[in-house]
Amino acid sequence: MGKKIILTGDRPTGRLHIGHYVGSLRRRVELQNSGEFDKIFIMIADAQALTDNADNPEKVRQNIIEVALDYLAAGLDPEKSTLFIQSQVSELTELDFFYQNLVTVQRLQRNPTVKQEIQLRGFSDNDEENENKAGTPVGFFCYPISQAADITAFKATTVPVGEDQKPMIEQTREIVRKFNSTYGEVLVEPEILLPDNASCLRLPGTDGKAKMSKSLGNCIYLSDSEEEVKAKVKGMYTDPNHLQVSDPGTVEGNTVFTYLDAFCKPEHFEKFASCWVGKKVSFEFHSLDEVKDQYRKGGLGDMMVKNFLTAVLQDTLEPMRARRKEYEKNIPYVYEVLRKGSEEARAAAAETLADVKRAMRINYFDEGVLDELIKEQTEKYNQ
Ligand code: ATP
Ligand code: MG
């Protein structure tokens, strides 16, 4: 049996939010603690973040520590997982360079996530006011190839990510197949591991937009204070037709319920039973299905549901907040974790790069290879 290896990561463009948590981070911690994996690599993708933040390297630099603190707060353990910074592993860019020859421009242009992200950032529209109207940076356009380098450098078998990453993993698999059939079996084809809960595939923003995203400013951050979480939940969109408490409400597409689907656990009903006790009406719920039924029937107000959601979120976030505070007091430790991790990641990537160069026969000066090469060329010229 081959080794089981995880590679995944995040762009240091801001603190991590609850979308990251349910989409990938929560799963990583579970997998880490399951003991089923031989190696776990968690990458802070600063080089990728620079592909659309080239003019703002300070933002990326500042957010490396923020992401690292969020990792540790969420329960990633440096004893079990290797946390590292992408730009410190220069082998990745070498792999990227070779893989670029295995992908066509047309293939990249079909990538739905990149298409969407180009649109979102306004790289393709000429609007006078648009600060990005100069166009799409080549590095940004090509980031799926760089991601293939990141994944394959560690011979990752499993990539736990949100749904938006599906086209990247597909692209990686294609590159692996192309490489292996051209140069020989060296690279490992990774599997995507999506959240099994449908509402976690792509958690919507607090504004009800399709994706909670740092770039859209519709996030609840893992490090938000109790008051911030409360205020953000209070301001969330629900069902626009649920005007009176007595009106029947819709649960589907109602972000408050999507968040409950993602975060609510059976024990929360007993723990937060008081949320359902009101001045005029009170309820006794034992499951989320019962809450949804009542909301659909009418009589259950948005405020009550929001108060319950706030309690559920606090329950999840409070332990992380507390752990983060502890690590914030020990910044040297956090950088030491990243330094050590980057060194370890570099050694692993260097092995793969050597395998790749050997397979491509561009390892001219390796032991034995040079002698062979000299013999071959000498014969050619002295026939
Ligand atoms: P940016 O706007 O800078 O791209 P982002 O918020 O999209 O930031 P990434 O660093 O690109 O975050 O994504 C990191 C990981 O989190 C990926 O695995 C991605 O699939 C997952 N993820 C991001 N946003 C969500 C979301 N709203 N729901 C579920 N998973 C998400
Ligand atoms: Mg993203």
Side-chain angles (χ1 to χ4, degrees):
M1 265 276 287
K3 286 197 164 168
K4 288 176 78 180
I5 300 172
I6 288 177
L7 177 284
T8 184
D10 306 271
R11 294 153 40 95
T13 48
R15 293 180 171 207
L16 298 185
H17 54 64
I18 61 172
H20 298 123
Y21 185 69
V22 297
S24 172
L25 195 50
R26 178 164 66 185
R27 192 57 155 306
R28 287 179 216 172
V29 176
E30 283 165 16
L31 295 175
Q32 168 195 272
N33 296 334
S34 75
E36 280 175 29
F37 287 82
D38 298 288
K39 283 300 298 174
I40 300 176
F41 293 97
I42 310 289
M43 180 179 82
I44 303 184
D46 62 335
Q48 190 189 114
L50 285 168
T51 64
D52 59 328
N53 290 282
D55 53 356
N56 202 354
E58 194 51 30
K59 169 174 145 191
V60 175
R61 186 170 168 274
Q62 292 299 332
N63 279 305
I64 288 175
I65 189 85
E66 300 297 343
V67 172
L69 284 166
D70 286 331
Y71 282 169
L72 296 168
L76 285 177
D77 175 356
E79 298 288 321
K80 298 179 184 155
S81 300
T82 305
L83 312 184
F84 72 99
I85 305 178
Q86 184 186 26
S87 65
Q88 301 309 295
V89 184
S90 52
E91 285 77 4
L92 299 175
T93 58
E94 269 191 77
L95 288 173
D96 181 14
F97 195 48
F98 299 132
Y99 295 173
Q100 284 177 29
N101 307 326
L102 307 178
V103 181
T104 63
V105 171
Q106 290 76 2
R107 174 64 183 86
L108 281 179
Q109 278 168 336
R110 285 200 301 272
N111 185 310
T113 300
V114 176
K115 251 194 231 172
Q116 216 174 36
E117 290 182 335
I118 285 175
Q119 207 176 31
L120 190 80
R121 288 161 176 74
F123 287 144
S124 57
D125 76 57
N126 294 324
D127 188 341
E128 269 309 303
E129 307 277 285
N130 177 7
E131 51 174 321
N132 286 333
K133 70 173 185 297
T136 311
V138 173
F140 185 81
F141 176 64
C142 297
Y143 91 74
I145 309 178
S146 131
Q147 228 167 289
D150 304 332
I151 295 167
T152 56
F154 301 98
K155 304 220 154 106
T157 51
T158 311
V159 188
V161 282
E163 197 184 32
D164 61 311
Q165 293 301 308
K166 240 176 163 171
M168 311 306 160
I169 311 303
E170 201 33 62
Q171 178 74 80
T172 303
R173 291 167 63 93
E174 281 176 38
I175 291 175
V176 169
R177 289 197 288 265
K178 181 96 194 205
F179 186 97
N180 286 352
S181 65
T182 312
Y183 304 112
E185 290 286 323
V186 169
L187 303 178
V188 176
E189 223 175 298
E191 303 277 349
I192 190 169
L193 190 64
L194 292 169
D196 35 28
N197 178 341
S199 46
C200 301
L201 288 170
R202 191 179 292 244
L203 199 75
T206 49
D207 56 359
K209 283 216 181 99
K211 184 175 173 266
M212 179 174 287
S213 166
K214 287 169 278 189
S215 316
L216 295 175
N218 56 8
C219 306
I220 294 176
Y221 292 97
L222 297 181
S223 50
D224 275 348
S225 68
E226 200 174 333
E227 294 69 40
E228 282 167 321
V229 173
K230 203 169 165 185
K232 285 181 183 180
V233 172
K234 202 170 164 199
M236 278 172 69
Y237 285 91
T238 56
D239 169 9
N241 298 318
H242 189 235
L243 297 173
Q244 308 275 340
V245 172
S246 56
D247 290 341
T250 307
V251 166
E252 287 68 32
N254 184 326
T255 315
V256 173
F257 280 96
T258 311
Y259 287 9
L260 283 174
D261 277 326
F263 284 96
C264 187
K265 295 191 216 141
E267 69 252 33
H268 287 145
F269 290 93
E270 206 184 311
K271 201 165 172 184
F272 305 123
S274 65
C275 291
W276 308 116
V277 180
K279 283 200 194 92
K280 289 189 193 137
V281 282
S282 295
F283 301 96
E284 212 179 286
F285 294 126
H286 305 96
S287 73
L288 196 50
D289 282 338
E290 289 179 14
V291 182
K292 289 179 181 173
D293 281 347
Q294 187 64 55
Y295 192 81
R296 288 191 184 102
K297 263 189 242 160
L300 174 57
D302 283 336
M303 263 337 281
M304 254 188 186
V305 188
K306 284 182 172 180
N307 285 341
F308 182 66
L309 173 62
T310 304
V312 166
L313 286 176
Q314 301 294 9
D315 192 58
T316 315
L317 299 179
E318 183 43 41
M320 287 193 242
R321 227 179 262 140
R323 269 199 298 268
R324 198 185 208 274
K325 289 243 153 56
E326 287 310 303
Y327 287 114
E328 283 170 357
K329 289 184 209 147
N330 199 354
I331 296 298
Y333 167 79
V334 182
Y335 278 112
E336 183 53 18
V337 163
L338 294 176
R339 195 192 60 75
K340 262 208 203 132
S342 300
E343 221 165 72
E344 211 179 303
R346 192 153 188 208
E351 273 185 38
T352 305
L353 180 62
D355 293 345
V356 159
K357 285 184 161 174
R358 200 176 307 118
M360 294 175 74
R361 304 196 65 196
I362 55 172
N363 57 336
Y364 316 113
F365 304 133
D366 275 7
E367 198 154 325
V369 177
L370 183 60
D371 293 344
E372 185 100 355
L373 197 55
I374 289 174
K375 201 173 141 221
E376 180 188 310
Q377 298 302 321
T378 308
E379 272 168 21
K380 188 167 101 188
Y381 282 103
N382 294 295
Q383 264 171 9

